[in-house]
Amino acid sequence: MDNLLKGIEEVLLMGPGPSCVHPDVYKALSRDTLGHLDPYFIKIMDEIQVLLQEVMNTKNQLTLPISGTGSAGMESCFVNLIEPKDRVLILINGVFGKRMQEVSTRLGANVDTIEFDWGTPIGPEVVKEKLENNTYEVIATVHAETSTGVLNPIAEISKLLKGRDSLFLVDVVTSLGGIEVSLDGWNIDASYSGSQKCLSCPPGLAPVSFSDNAFSKIMNRETKVPNWYLDMSLIGQYWQQDRKRVYHHTAPVNMLYALYQSLVLFKEEGPSNVFKRHVECHLKLKEGLKGLGLEMFVEEPYRLPMLNAVTIPDGVDEAEVRKRLRMEHKIEIGGGLGPLAGKIWRIGLMGHTARIENVERLLKALDAILN
Ligand SMILES: Cc1ncc(COP(=O)(O)O)c(C=O)c1O
């Protein structure tokens, strides 16, 4: 029997995620598996929590990686914080805001939404107006909307929530490790990310963080969290420092080594250098695309450095271009989702992908295909 793993090629991952994995992270994955309650492994867990608090800029005790992808992080935030009939407001301008609506509706919440055009940011003025006559238990939105390449004004939205009782829930899947994320600075109560974007790690873990207010809501629920696997009051007992750890589920030990290594790399390079590297790559890509006659889809002030949405020119078969990039040049980029399918390409510059030589390689390949 042919082992299929032999046929895996190295592909330059320049789509919306997963992104390229750092070689040191691959090495970390292949270290010996320890028991999930092994004292040495527990040391690594403790350190992961500290490093996550640093990258998320929070003092939240309940900060840890959920075993699962970003969507498990999303589910864990909603399933723990929402009880049936709770009023939830979701600010939507892309696929992942829509997913929040779907998740919270399934939990029986009383869901209200404000929708903005895809490709434009959330407008704080509209949110302000909505809040004048309504109260919500939870207000949720996405920091970096990967489906459109838009950066949402989380700091401004946060100011509107001052003095209100609502919990603020923010998706930082694509932003974490690529641009500044400040949970405490923006008074965010619950947040989740994913390992496979700007953290240069494979998919499989979802860092989450809950404020004291969020934790108190979880501990004072009238109903049990309806999902055992994602119940933070139980998972928290396995991750709690200074106390006896209680088995909940078998932690994905090697993935946690990988996350640990990626967080060490982030710290060693330094947040400001990492963010600068992402911006420099974005600017280089933008200039290069302009030279090829291609236009960015999102207005300049709201563009994400790590997710570049590019308008597909008339007459170009976008799927064919992506196919040729993959087959002839071993580069992956993404297409549009939902209403943007066929209208944009999504070029990711996330984590270890965000290097100038990768941008140059993509621009050369696009030039060869388009011209
Ligand atoms: C902003 C955002 N939120 C949530 C998700 C869901 O994450 P996953 O696909 O890892 O479950 C993604 C994935 O692309 C995302 O970009």
Side-chain angles (χ1 to χ4, degrees):
M1 183 190 123
D2 254 2
N3 185 327
L4 291 177
L5 295 179
K6 279 194 212 146
I8 297 177
E9 305 177 309
E10 189 176 342
V11 175
L12 175 53
L13 297 172
M14 301 192 82
S19 56
C20 294
V21 173
H22 193 285
D24 289 357
V25 174
Y26 279 134
K27 280 191 211 140
L29 272 168
S30 64
R31 297 303 300 261
D32 290 334
T33 302
L34 289 171
H36 63 103
L37 287 166
D38 185 280
Y40 197 83
F41 181 61
I42 287 171
K43 271 197 202 178
I44 296 177
M45 289 170 65
D46 288 349
E47 198 56 31
I48 287 174
Q49 287 188 284
V50 172
L51 291 167
L52 279 180
Q53 285 169 333
E54 283 175 20
V55 65
M56 294 176 127
N57 279 300
T58 182
K59 293 197 169 58
N60 291 342
Q61 287 293 313
L62 196 56
T63 301
L64 54 86
I66 292 282
S67 311
T69 65
S71 305
M74 184 190 290
E75 294 257 18
S76 73
C77 287
F78 282 101
V79 84
N80 280 278
L81 295 182
I82 289 180
E83 295 204 69
K85 307 268 183 318
D86 273 3
R87 282 179 57 79
V88 175
L89 174 66
I90 319 242
L91 312 174
I92 302 174
N93 58 346
V95 165
F96 297 102
K98 277 281 188 204
R99 190 173 296 181
M100 287 178 156
Q101 180 184 11
E102 173 67 19
V103 167
S104 47
T105 303
R106 284 178 186 225
L107 291 168
N110 184 350
V111 182
D112 201 356
T113 59
I114 315 180
E115 298 214 21
F116 298 84
D117 287 342
W118 290 31
T120 69
I122 306 284
E125 284 306 316
V126 186
V127 180
K128 189 173 170 203
E129 216 173 285
K130 183 86 171 172
L131 294 178
E132 273 161 16
N133 301 315
N134 296 283
T135 55
Y136 300 95
E137 269 81 28
V138 174
I139 297 175
T141 196
V142 177
H143 186 201
E145 190 33 273
T146 328
S147 60
T148 61
V150 166
L151 172 67
N152 280 323
I154 299 300
E156 281 178 66
I157 299 168
S158 154
K159 282 188 199 138
L160 302 175
L161 308 188
K162 268 221 169 100
R164 304 180 71 95
D165 283 339
S166 314
L167 294 173
F168 190 27
L169 194 171
V170 180
D171 172 318
V172 298
V173 170
T174 284
S175 49
L176 191 70
I179 51 178
E180 199 204 1
V181 166
S182 180
L183 300 195
D184 290 357
W186 301 333
N187 297 312
I188 293 173
D189 292 291
S191 193
Y192 59 90
S193 189
S195 48
Q196 77 275 22
K197 308 272 186 183
C198 294
L199 296 175
S200 315
C201 209
L205 289 174
V208 295
S209 185
F210 293 84
S211 70
D212 290 347
N213 280 346
F215 184 60
S216 143
K217 163 107 193 205
I218 297 170
M219 297 318 280
N220 292 301
R221 289 177 61 102
E222 283 171 17
T223 54
K224 266 191 175 179
V225 173
N227 180 310
W228 179 86
Y229 193 73
L230 297 174
D231 185 334
M232 290 309 299
S233 67
L234 303 177
I235 298 175
Q237 291 178 36
Y238 172 57
W239 280 88
Q240 64 194 347
Q241 300 190 8
D242 314 324
R243 285 218 258 146
K244 190 165 163 31
R245 286 163 199 265
V246 182
Y247 161 73
H248 178 255
H249 64 274
T250 309
V253 171
N254 292 57
M255 263 311 293
L256 289 162
Y257 298 163
L259 179 64
Y260 168 76
Q261 181 60 54
S262 72
L263 294 169
V264 167
L265 288 166
F266 177 84
K267 185 169 174 146
E268 281 174 355
E269 186 175 352
S272 56
N273 292 329
V274 177
F275 303 156
K276 193 163 146 250
R277 177 164 54 77
H278 280 82
V279 169
E280 282 169 0
C281 285
H282 160 74
L283 294 176
K284 171 105 189 159
L285 177 71
K286 189 188 78 170
E287 280 312 302
L289 291 172
K290 197 169 160 200
L292 295 175
L294 296 168
E295 284 175 17
M296 303 298 282
F297 174 68
V298 176
E299 295 291 326
E300 187 149 1
Y302 321 114
R303 278 179 205 154
L304 289 170
M306 73 285 280
L307 196 289
N308 297 267
V310 181
T311 307
I312 292 161
D314 289 342
V316 169
D317 179 345
E318 75 85 18
E320 181 63 19
V321 173
R322 281 190 290 127
K323 190 169 154 201
R324 288 188 59 192
L325 277 173
R326 171 65 181 87
M327 302 322 286
E328 296 167 25
H329 301 272
K330 301 197 193 321
I331 301 175
E332 177 182 281
I333 65 167
L337 296 176
L340 296 179
K343 298 201 173 124
I344 58 166
W345 285 309
R346 290 180 303 148
I347 302 176
L349 292 169
M350 302 181 184
H352 192 54
T353 298
R355 284 173 292 142
I356 293 293
E357 63 264 33
N358 292 338
V359 177
E360 286 169 349
R361 188 172 143 194
L362 173 68
L363 289 169
K364 216 167 138 205
L366 273 176
D367 190 19
I369 294 170
L370 293 173
N371 300 313

